[in-house]
Amino acid sequence: MSPTELSSKYDSKEVETKWYTLWEKNGYFRPQSDQNKSTVHGPQITEKKTVDRGPSTVDSPYVIVIPPPNVTGILHVGHALNNSIQDILTRWNRMKGRDTLWVPGVDHAGIATQNVVEKKLAKEKITRQQIGREKFLEHVWKWKEENGSTITRQLRRLGASCDWSRERFTMDEGLSKAVREAFVTLYERGLIYQGDYIINWCPRCQTALSDEEAEHKEVEGGLYYIKYPISVSEAKGSPVAQFIIVATTRPETMLGDTAVAVNPNDERYKYLIGKKLLLPLVNREIPVIADEFVDPQFGTGAVKVTPAHDPNDFEMGNRHKLERINVMHPDGKINEKGGPYNGMDRFEARKKIIVDLEALGLFVEKKKHKHAVGHCYRCATIVEPYLSKQWFVKMKPLAEKALKAHAAGKTKFYPDRWTKVYTNWLEGIRDWCISRQIWWGHQVPVWYCQKCQEGRGKKEEGREKKDASLFSLPSSLGIIVARETPIKCPTCGGTDLQQDPDVLDTWFSSWLWPFSTLGWPNKTDDLKHFYPTSDLITAPEIIFFWVARMIMAGVEFMGEVPFSKIYIHGTVRAEGGLKMSKSLGNSIDPIEVIDEMGADALRFSMIMLSAQDVYLSREKFEVGRNFVNKLWNASRFVLMNLGSSTVDSRQSTERNQDTETVDHGLLTVDFLPNRWILSRLSKVTETVDKYLNEFSLAQAASELYHFVWNDYCDWFIELSKPVLEKGSAAEKSETQQILLFVLETIMRLLHPFIPFITEEIWQKLKELSANSDQSSETIMLAPWPKSSDFPRDAQAEKSIEWLQNAVSGIRDLRTRVNLPPSQTVQAVVATANQEVKKVFEAFIPQIKVLGRLDSLTIESNFQKSKAYLGNAFADFEVFIKIEGLVNPEEERKRSQKKIAEVEGWIKGITSKLSNENFVKNAPSEIIDQEKLKLSDAQKLLKAYHEHLSLFQ
RNA sequence: GGGCGGUUAGUUCAGUUGGUUAGAACGCUACCUUGACAUGGUAGAGGUCACAGGUUCGAGUCCUGUACCGCCCACCA
């Protein structure tokens, strides 16, 4: 096969491997600025640089950081969409000549990864507790070495043009340094504290979770009504009631009750306030307290108070100085404080307690009760509000700065409606619990001096009783918060230092991502050059987890928001609306799709569907597959029909006497269809740019799809066939040039969307083209098309539209009378446009043009095509000699209706134009617009009247 | 409980500031094995733009209300 031929079938696998390897090897993914310095990063860009794209000083670098996928992750359709979008934007900006960087990386995903490795060890009957922290972490690192690059390999299959020489991992050395820097800085600014609070506890993972990590789901549960008897010690005299009935959704927590609360204004219970109750099963005396929090309308208006197991009760406990009795082990089993229930699982205990209360006659009833219950986002276990000592970040001050930046217009969400979601969350922000009781992650950079601690323990004892809720961390008490691992205690010089065993929330490293990946806290060149980044592309579900926190971190640590535009794309769902997920078994493996149809097909299909949430099924990928196939075959056609000579689109050709020579920027073109396709190309180029600028990737793709398929293939290529066969030498040669030129431009326009096939085809076209624009060694670095290089030609567009309508109209009539394709029909076309007439006569097959009608008379054996109505402003008629098909009655009615409509329109514009206020105040261009509309409407009215007259 | 989004062809969705005949893809019907492509071509059928009011010469588009669907947030036990 010659180097300029294409095989009859596109082999996506071969092409994809070939080009991706080459791109990466040649350093095309790296920012252009890298070539100016000898960096240590990856391969050098060896080959000569491409084209001069004009002054590059005006453009700031274009930078995206990848939302780091979990190291345990495998590419799912959500990743495929997210990264396709990022790649499109990256490639587009790179072609526009901007210094472009897409930073890739992977997240260590604390709990998720730990779970995976634990499961793996469980198969060998090993628990992490058995082997200890150090050994376990070795296993995790080993697992990471062996399996951690799956996702980045898969991103390569997708075509992602990330700068892999800058790939980062949230646990690598640099990022660990960043994490410590952030923690200590916040600590120094008084924004980090440790304290005993009710947090979300996952009894399975045995760790604290942040509020965002507890997913609330509606659950059909029970509301249990239980009698709490009034203590006999209070029963002197004659109490009106023997007991108070409380309502609870979690009866097992009653073991830790230390009060019952009622609303101070609740008449039913007022007299009981201050009295003592006898807590059933436990037989502890607890007081009745009054608290505004209690809603008299709910349940019985009396609430059991369990400060150690419920956030509200915790608050009440603080207000009333109640004791906190923790009745649960970290694994969710009742502890020794729970007396006879010691050792039982919380849900088991719930059942048993109800049975026991029933036996005592203290259980009233269980009512059905729908309420939201928190579930662990990793393992879906019901989380337990649990009292424990954790590290927190004070978020208010951070959120305020982020809000200020937003008010100053520094962050913009696309689509805009997410803005409010973001600001609302910031406004109601709560402190962030950042410590986790797992092993895989960044260990809290806090050390305790054993010696000082002993002394402190004694001091603390006295005060713990008073207020254990919160204590600051005076370093004098042997607590060391440091960037570098300390060797000895600064207070006493002791060397027995123990690091806090907790690790930090995974998001505590992710929120630093936009600057930690560029080298922070070191003042690196990358950081200086590439921060802040440009766009952030992500899914709605991590706006709180990640986006908002990154913005806060950026403002706090860098003094600048990390990115200015945030594009939130849709969620990928299965047909029927359910989110695609492995657990539901309704997911599609993108790698399978790539194997089967190619990465380009996958990307293009997903982007076409991405105007909002993406509803996927296997069949949906056929759109992209078919398109890729179409493109391949159109290219084959062009390459087969170029003739042997190399084409230079600038070269002049012999001019046709009849037609005007039109200068199309770079090109000089005569022939009407050629002028038309260039004009369409111009329009499409402009539109694609506009859509990409506003993140409307689906519209951009759709625009290109229809241009290629309908304009280029269906009309231009089809029209070129008779031209190549029987056109004049000049027409023929010009058409060949334009076929090539437009195809080459199409490749560049499509390259960001479907990088592989466009590179493959472009390389072949390049060899045939003498156009200097195409001299770069890869399409990746070829310049992005500029619509000004081939400006619009309104006249040509109008003429071809005329022709299209006429041809369609004739074909319509042909089908309706069942004419075989081979049969020529006689047609009369009426047009004053000589060019159109010429194209029609010379190149529209199977239609014999009889002549030209200047007046609208119809011979009886000619039938009028409905193409007449195709464009009310186009002054043409088509008649072909076939038996009757037009219904005059219908035509008359339609005309009358239209006439009435247009008359109303004219009336409206006229009244607007005669409105004094309007004429006086409206901007002149608006008035001109109205006048133009009026004249158009009058023309239209005339056309309809003429049409009507044909059928009177 | 609060907030947000949606309701347009058989299906999945576009529809920019109100304006000629509401578009596309898939599906469907008829014809076409035409030397780029049957993963194709030509043509066609198919819509009371959820419902009820309102503004306007004119509403899928703006306003008010209703119904249904979906999503997010939320410490009333």
Side-chain angles (χ1 to χ4, degrees):
Chain A
M1 191 171 313
S2 95
T4 55
E5 262 176 65
L6 295 178
S7 60
S8 66
K9 213 160 159 65
Y10 173 59
D11 180 353
S12 63
K13 253 189 198 153
E14 190 214 308
V15 167
E16 288 171 12
T17 322
K18 178 176 75 183
W19 289 117
Y20 199 91
T21 312
L22 196 101
W23 292 334
E24 194 176 352
K25 196 182 105 222
N26 287 353
Y28 298 152
F29 298 154
R30 296 175 50 202
Q32 305 262 317
S33 54
D34 270 13
Q35 65 177 304
N36 302 328
K37 50 181 187 192
S38 51
T39 63
V40 290
H41 293 295
Q44 292 296 301
I45 300 174
T46 48
E47 288 167 63
K48 72 173 167 77
K49 250 335 355 103
T50 53
V51 239
D52 176 21
R53 298 192 189 86
S56 59
T57 45
V58 282
D59 287 333
S60 54
Y62 183 78
V63 187
I64 298 186
V65 290
I66 202 171
N70 286 358
V71 64
T72 55
I74 48 170
L75 194 81
H76 59 67
V77 279
H79 291 127
L81 174 66
N82 176 254
N83 289 289
S84 296
I85 294 171
Q86 293 180 80
D87 196 44
I88 289 165
L89 295 170
T90 302
R91 287 177 185 271
W92 174 54
N93 278 286
R94 193 184 285 122
M95 288 177 79
K96 286 175 99 168
R98 287 177 77 176
D99 192 27
T100 300
L101 170 63
W102 181 11
V103 185
V106 178
D107 194 285
H108 69 279
I111 301 178
T113 310
Q114 176 158 327
N115 283 351
V116 167
V117 177
E118 275 189 272
K119 253 186 217 157
K120 193 186 155 217
L121 291 176
K123 280 187 193 148
E124 303 160 37
K125 302 255 189 283
I126 302 172
T127 69
R128 69 180 159 104
Q129 286 79 8
Q130 280 166 3
I131 57 176
R133 186 171 191 142
E134 214 169 303
K135 264 264 149 48
F136 178 74
L137 288 180
E138 275 171 29
H139 273 100
V140 183
W141 277 109
K142 191 166 156 250
W143 182 91
K144 194 248 165 187
E145 289 317 310
E146 285 164 9
N147 309 287
S149 58
T150 306
I151 190 105
T152 53
R153 233 182 15 251
Q154 291 176 320
L155 284 172
R156 286 177 167 92
R157 294 273 331 255
L158 192 68
S161 62
C162 307
D163 181 358
W164 297 106
S165 71
R166 284 176 167 84
E167 183 183 346
R168 304 305 298 266
F169 179 53
T170 51
M171 285 281 281
D172 69 26
E173 207 181 309
L175 298 221
S176 301
K177 194 176 167 195
V179 164
R180 279 198 181 182
E181 177 67 29
F183 185 96
V184 178
T185 304
L186 289 176
Y187 177 78
E188 287 165 351
R189 291 179 187 174
L191 296 175
I192 283 202
Y193 63 90
Q194 189 189 36
D196 286 302
Y197 284 102
I198 299 281
I199 42 79
N200 301 293
W201 183 266
C202 175
R204 202 214 64 84
C205 303
Q206 296 204 29
T207 178
L209 300 172
S210 69
D211 292 323
E212 289 71 31
E213 286 168 328
E215 290 180 346
H216 290 267
K217 290 179 203 161
E218 280 277 302
V219 166
E220 184 76 54
L223 189 56
Y224 301 82
Y225 289 75
I226 300 165
K227 288 178 185 171
Y228 281 20
I230 290 161
S231 172
V232 278
S233 63
E234 297 285 346
K236 45 190 158 178
S238 52
V240 180
Q242 305 288 309
F243 47 78
I244 287 182
I245 300 176
V246 299
T248 180
T249 53
R250 293 185 296 149
E252 68 280 10
T253 62
M254 69 178 285
L255 301 170
D257 282 2
T258 50
V260 165
V262 298
N263 191 289
N265 302 317
D266 193 331
E267 296 297 335
R268 292 172 294 178
Y269 300 115
K270 236 174 179 168
Y271 73 103
L272 285 169
I273 294 168
K275 296 265 186 330
K276 291 270 175 11
L277 302 172
L278 191 66
L279 183 62
L281 305 174
V282 184
N283 295 325
R284 176 164 62 231
E285 278 203 334
I286 56 172
V288 177
I289 60 171
D291 198 292
E292 293 282 354
F293 165 79
V294 181
D295 175 5
Q297 308 301 317
F298 189 91
T300 60
V303 188
K304 58 189 271 317
V305 182
T306 327
H309 290 277
D310 183 277
N312 293 312
D313 296 5
F314 178 82
E315 296 294 328
M316 273 195 276
N318 286 350
R319 287 195 285 272
H320 299 272
K321 308 259 184 288
L322 299 174
E323 197 188 343
R324 299 169 187 153
I325 302 175
N326 186 340
V327 298
M328 250 179 242
H329 289 297
D331 63 356
K333 291 200 173 112
I334 304 297
N335 65 19
E336 68 289 345
K337 297 264 176 59
Y341 305 97
N342 188 1
M344 276 186 199
D345 178 77
R346 52 189 168 148
F347 299 117
E348 199 186 325
R350 180 178 296 178
K351 279 187 207 142
K352 184 71 167 56
I353 280 170
I354 295 305
V355 171
D356 292 350
L357 286 170
E358 234 165 356
L360 292 168
L362 295 174
F363 178 65
V364 185
E365 60 176 329
K366 173 188 172 183
K367 283 190 182 162
K368 275 194 179 158
H369 182 62
K370 244 198 189 159
H371 62 140
V373 176
H375 293 69
C376 173
Y377 83 126
R378 286 268 39 117
C379 69
T381 304
I382 292 181
V383 302
E384 193 67 28
Y386 193 69
L387 182 71
S388 68
K389 184 175 286 181
Q390 303 290 345
W391 292 95
F392 296 86
V393 179
K394 229 182 253 178
M395 297 305 278
K396 260 248 158 61
L398 301 185
E400 274 162 11
K401 287 188 198 171
L403 282 167
K404 223 170 124 193
H406 178 261
K410 298 205 170 159
T411 44
K412 197 160 157 32
F413 282 80
Y414 295 81
D416 185 49
R417 70 188 136 92
W418 294 106
T419 307
K420 249 169 82 184
V421 175
Y422 165 72
T423 53
N424 284 350
W425 185 78
L426 284 180
E427 280 156 9
I429 200 157
R430 287 182 291 156
D431 287 352
W432 179 13
C433 174
I434 50 169
S435 44
R436 298 289 179 274
Q437 288 63 51
I438 57 174
W439 289 348
W440 175 239
H442 299 281
Q443 207 167 337
V444 175
V446 174
W447 289 262
Y448 305 100
C449 167
Q450 294 307 108
K451 208 166 148 196
C452 294
Q453 289 279 303
E454 276 161 33
R456 175 189 154 184
K458 284 186 189 124
K459 276 191 210 163
E460 288 276 314
E461 253 171 55
R463 92 176 237 242
E464 195 124 347
K465 290 249 162 62
K466 265 189 269 159
D467 179 17
S469 70
L470 172 63
F471 59 91
S472 61
L473 289 166
S475 56
S476 59
L477 287 179
I479 295 178
I480 306 145
V481 179
R483 290 173 176 80
E484 302 294 338
T485 307
I487 298 160
K488 59 179 187 180
C489 173
T491 312
C492 70
T495 51
D496 188 4
L497 306 179
Q498 296 255 309
Q499 189 170 4
D500 191 305
D502 288 357
V503 301
L504 293 164
D505 182 3
T506 300
W507 299 100
F508 196 88
S509 52
S510 322
W511 77 326
L512 311 173
W513 191 246
F515 43 93
S516 63
T517 50
L518 297 173
W520 188 85
N522 296 338
K523 293 190 175 69
T524 58
D525 289 347
D526 270 8
L527 190 63
K528 212 179 339 169
H529 187 56
F530 295 118
Y531 190 90
T533 70
S534 312
D535 301 339
L536 182 81
I537 317 301
T538 193
E541 59 261 28
I542 52 176
I543 291 179
F544 305 140
F545 275 117
W546 195 49
V547 181
R549 285 177 184 155
M550 274 193 288
I551 296 172
M552 288 188 280
V555 175
E556 187 66 27
F557 300 115
M558 296 293 296
E560 204 166 349
V561 294
F563 31 73
S564 42
K565 292 180 183 174
I566 301 121
Y567 174 48
I568 306 287
H569 60 248
T571 307
V572 180
R573 297 174 191 287
E575 273 182 337
L578 279 173
K579 196 171 158 177
M580 269 204 179
S581 79
K582 250 199 305 191
S583 53
L584 289 168
N586 61 358
S587 64
I588 293 175
D589 179 0
I591 296 297
E592 267 177 38
V593 178
I594 291 176
D595 285 340
E596 201 179 301
M597 306 181 179
D600 291 329
L602 171 93
R603 290 168 61 125
F604 200 79
S605 305
M606 294 203 75
I607 293 302
M608 284 282 277
L609 293 167
S610 70
Q612 50 164 238
D613 280 3
V614 179
Y615 290 80
L616 272 189
S617 64
R618 264 313 173 95
E619 298 78 61
K620 292 280 174 72
F621 293 105
E622 288 170 13
V623 180
R625 183 200 58 183
N626 295 354
F627 182 61
V628 162
N629 177 260
K630 189 76 180 175
L631 208 57
W632 183 254
N633 282 295
S635 305
R636 284 180 63 211
F637 171 84
V638 172
L639 287 168
M640 278 175 202
N641 286 285
L642 282 183
S644 51
S645 62
T646 299
V647 184
D648 178 356
S649 50
R650 283 166 187 272
Q651 104 194 4
S652 63
T653 51
E654 47 173 302
R655 298 288 164 217
N656 190 312
Q657 298 289 316
D658 296 350
T659 55
E660 224 182 309
T661 294
V662 181
D663 189 4
H664 279 262
L666 292 178
L667 309 155
T668 314
V669 181
D670 283 337
F671 192 46
L672 175 64
N674 294 344
R675 282 170 22 224
W676 168 76
I677 195 71
L678 286 175
S679 181
R680 292 287 307 133
L681 181 67
S682 178
K683 168 82 191 305
V684 143
T685 306
E686 214 178 290
T687 316
V688 166
D689 252 331
K690 180 185 137 228
Y691 281 140
L692 287 180
N693 265 320
E694 57 197 38
F695 298 102
S696 299
L697 308 229
Q699 274 97 322
S702 162
E703 203 70 25
L704 285 164
Y705 177 91
H706 288 109
F707 174 71
V708 169
W709 206 301
N710 304 134
D711 291 336
Y712 189 71
C713 293
D714 289 348
W715 284 100
F716 190 65
I717 287 189
E718 289 310 319
L719 211 44
S720 79
K721 285 175 184 172
V723 174
L724 293 174
E725 194 187 316
K726 56 192 179 194
S728 71
E731 284 163 350
K732 214 171 134 174
S733 137
E734 193 189 272
T735 299
Q736 284 174 328
Q737 289 170 52
I738 299 305
L739 274 169
L740 176 65
F741 178 85
V742 175
L743 186 64
E744 191 273 339
T745 310
I746 286 171
M747 290 308 139
R748 282 186 282 146
L749 289 169
L750 277 170
H751 177 256
F753 299 85
I754 45 176
F756 294 109
I757 190 173
T758 48
E759 177 80 291
E760 177 72 9
I761 295 170
W762 187 83
Q763 292 287 342
K764 306 272 184 185
L765 299 180
K766 192 179 81 168
E767 289 162 30
L768 289 169
S769 176
N771 194 328
S772 64
D773 279 350
Q774 297 150 35
S775 63
S776 77
E777 67 271 25
T778 169
I779 192 172
M780 278 186 65
L781 300 175
W784 182 250
K786 283 206 285 283
S787 61
S788 54
D789 288 348
F790 30 88
R792 297 289 294 273
D793 181 339
Q795 191 51 52
E797 287 199 43
K798 207 166 167 178
S799 298
I800 294 291
E801 194 184 337
W802 189 102
L803 186 129
Q804 289 174 327
N805 283 320
V807 170
S808 289
I810 292 167
R811 285 178 186 155
D812 177 24
L813 289 181
R814 293 182 62 109
T815 347
R816 282 153 79 181
V817 293
N818 256 324
L819 279 189
S822 54
Q823 190 175 327
T824 306
V825 297
Q826 299 183 318
V828 178
V829 294
T831 176
N833 187 325
Q834 289 302 315
E835 280 189 304
V836 171
K837 188 165 171 255
K838 198 193 141 216
V839 172
F840 215 103
E841 282 169 354
F843 303 118
I844 305 296
Q846 277 115 32
I847 296 170
K848 192 174 162 205
V849 178
L850 292 179
R852 193 181 140 214
L853 275 186
D854 287 312
S855 60
L856 298 167
T857 48
I858 313 170
E859 294 171 33
S860 58
N861 57 343
F862 277 71
Q863 283 308 326
K864 197 174 73 48
S865 156
K866 80 170 206 175
Y868 175 78
L869 292 174
N871 182 340
F873 293 105
D875 48 352
F876 75 91
E877 286 269 359
V878 174
F879 302 99
I880 71 173
K881 203 173 179 179
I882 303 171
E883 287 312 303
L885 290 162
V886 174
N887 181 343
E889 180 65 19
E890 232 173 60
E891 291 298 314
R892 206 178 307 138
K893 267 196 210 148
R894 179 183 280 180
S895 302
Q896 277 160 353
K897 193 180 142 216
K898 286 283 113 190
I899 286 168
E901 208 174 273
V902 176
E903 276 170 350
W905 183 11
I906 290 171
K907 197 174 137 202
I909 301 171
T910 314
S911 80
K912 210 178 203 176
L913 284 172
S914 60
N915 182 327
E916 249 177 73
N917 282 331
F918 177 75
V919 177
K920 222 189 278 169
N921 301 324
S924 62
E925 65 259 32
I926 298 284
I927 295 174
D928 287 348
Q929 214 173 32
E930 289 299 318
K931 283 183 182 160
L932 199 68
K933 277 187 195 169
L934 186 63
S935 101
D936 280 355
Q938 276 158 350
K939 265 193 234 165
L940 186 63
L941 188 65
K942 197 175 152 224
Y944 280 124
H945 272 301
E946 271 175 25
H947 184 233
L948 181 62
S949 72
L950 294 175
F951 301 95
Q952 294 293 7

